[in-house]
Structures are given as C-alpha cells and as structure tokens.
Amino acid sequence: QVQLVESGGGLVQAGGSLRLSCAASGDIICISALGWYRQAPGKERELIAAITSGAKDQVSVKGRFTISRDNAKNTLYLQMNNLKPEDTAVYTCHARGPPPGTIARCLTDYWGSGTLVTVSS
C-alpha cells in the first residue's frame, strides 16, 4: 500500500511562511495524483491543489500557496506564504489511486494523518 507522512506544520504568526512536506512510500505505482487538502475548525475539508503523476508541470500555484512535487524523492511540498489566521487548519496529504480496474491491489484513495498549522494574529 501507500504511506503518506506529512511534516512541517506548526505555529506561525500572520504574514509568515511555512513549507509542508509529504513523503510518499510503499506502492508508488498506485499513485495517480498527489495533493493537499485542509480542514479548518468547523468547516469541511477542501482541496488546495493536486498534481497528476506524469504531468509536465509539477508545480501548481494557488494564490499564496504553491504546491510542487519532487518525483525523485516521492515528495510533495506545499509552500504557504503570507499566512492568515483563517489558514489555520489541519493540512492533509492525499494520493489518488489509479483508474478503477487498472491495478487491482491499489485503493481509490490514500490519506496521511495530517499536520496542524496554526496562524496567530
């Protein structure tokens, strides 16, 4: 199976930056895309961005956030700049499995345990 381990969360002041990492291991062939989700207190989990395996562009910019992928290291990064208190959330790494029926042993989704980011005002 696939294991996803996040790191880099913590407490930061508003306006600061953090870089999260997600190290993937195990059955890497089961990963068709890697992405970051977040869930703020009292809110639903939301997708920040994802990068498809094999995509030409391994960087995706979403406003103040930049997601990038180092395939040699099987690691996904999330660079967060100019953080705001409303960015406080648990950030979780997600791997999407292959299309149904293509690789039987793979699951549809894999999730990390998440890392807490707290932005103080």
Side-chain angles (χ1 to χ4, degrees), residues 69-87:
R69 181 170 174 175
D70 185 334
N71 290 315
K73 297 181 179 180
N74 292 320
T75 300
L76 185 73
Y77 301 99
L78 178 62
Q79 177 67 44
M80 304 183 291
N81 297 326
N82 190 22
L83 283 162
K84 303 177 180 181
E86 51 264 41
D87 294 319

Side-chain angles (χ1 to χ4, degrees), residues 7-107:
S7 60
L11 176 65
V12 62
Q13 289 189 332
S17 298
L18 274 178
R19 188 194 196 201
L20 306 183
S21 299
C22 169
S25 61
D27 215 345
I28 301 298
I29 196 173
C30 289
I31 299 174
S32 64
L34 277 174
W36 286 100
Y37 283 76
R38 72 178 183 180
Q39 185 168 20
K43 296 187 177 180
E44 293 189 355
R45 183 166 57 194
E46 62 175 350
L47 172 67
I48 300 172
I51 296 178
T52 301
S53 300
K56 180 179 180 181
D57 193 350
Q58 293 291 291
V59 178
S60 177
V61 180
K62 301 293 182 181
R64 296 176 288 111
F65 294 179
T66 299
I67 180 174
S68 60
R69 181 170 174 175
D70 185 334
N71 290 315
K73 297 181 179 180
N74 292 320
T75 300
L76 185 73
Y77 301 99
L78 178 62
Q79 177 67 44
M80 304 183 291
N81 297 326
N82 190 22
L83 283 162
K84 303 177 180 181
E86 51 264 41
D87 294 319
T88 294
V90 175
Y91 287 72
T92 305
C93 184
H94 170 259
R96 188 177 70 215
T102 55
I103 306 176
R105 67 180 185 274
C106 299
L107 302 179

